[in-house]
Amino acid sequence: MEQLTQEQQEKRNQEYNDYVEQVTPKHNLWANMGKAFLLGGTICLLGQIILNIAVSFGLKQEDATLWCSLILVLLSVILTSCNVYGLLANWGGAGALVPITGFANGVCSSAVEFQKEGQVFGIGCQIFKIAGPVILYGIFSSWVLGLIYWLIS
């Protein structure tokens, strides 16, 4: 094995650092926050429009919120299945994680990814790959908080 001199090692290291700098994507924090705000705001605006339309059709506020949630989940699943939600998430980043649509996307994307493996071992086993831990820790934390509330009161 050929020994490199100190000067050759420094030159090689500098070339490598220049290459890494060149291929590393540059991110603009303010632009990313703006995109996340726009996408998340658009999803929330869509939810508010659905809610207002449901109320204008004579539904009680409580029923209208249920329909709004169902429609947002359905739209998220449809967009995920058509590979559109992923494009929106790549553009809008954290704005796509608006809780109900982001959760639906997480569940649906696992099902879509493993559908070729069949109904049981593909979709059935993998559908909660992402959402399972969220459900588990949500239930566990609500249990702990309920226990604390019960002990305090």
Side-chain angles (χ1 to χ4, degrees), residues 10-26:
E10 288 176 13
K11 181 180 177 187
R12 184 189 66 187
N13 290 343
Q14 184 60 42
E15 288 174 357
Y16 178 75
N17 288 336
D18 292 342
Y19 172 74
V20 168
E21 182 71 27
Q22 181 184 4
V23 298
T24 301
K26 307 291 186 267

Side-chain angles (χ1 to χ4, degrees), residues 94-117:
L97 298 178
V98 174
I100 197 162
T101 56
F103 187 74
N105 173 56
V107 172
C108 182
S109 62
S110 294
V112 168
E113 182 179 351
F114 292 99
Q115 71 182 355
K116 293 177 184 170
E117 294 181 21

Side-chain angles (χ1 to χ4, degrees), residues 62-131:
E62 198 173 288
D63 294 335
T65 56
L66 294 174
W67 276 103
C68 177
S69 297
L70 287 171
I71 291 169
L72 285 174
V73 166
L74 176 66
L75 288 174
S76 176
V77 167
I78 290 170
L79 291 175
T80 300
S81 299
C82 296
N83 292 324
V84 174
Y85 200 91
L87 298 173
L88 290 173
N90 283 339
W91 181 81
L97 298 178
V98 174
I100 197 162
T101 56
F103 187 74
N105 173 56
V107 172
C108 182
S109 62
S110 294
V112 168
E113 182 179 351
F114 292 99
Q115 71 182 355
K116 293 177 184 170
E117 294 181 21
Q119 295 292 320
V120 175
F121 292 112
I123 295 173
C125 292
Q126 300 294 332
I127 196 164
F128 291 111
K129 183 178 183 179
I130 294 173

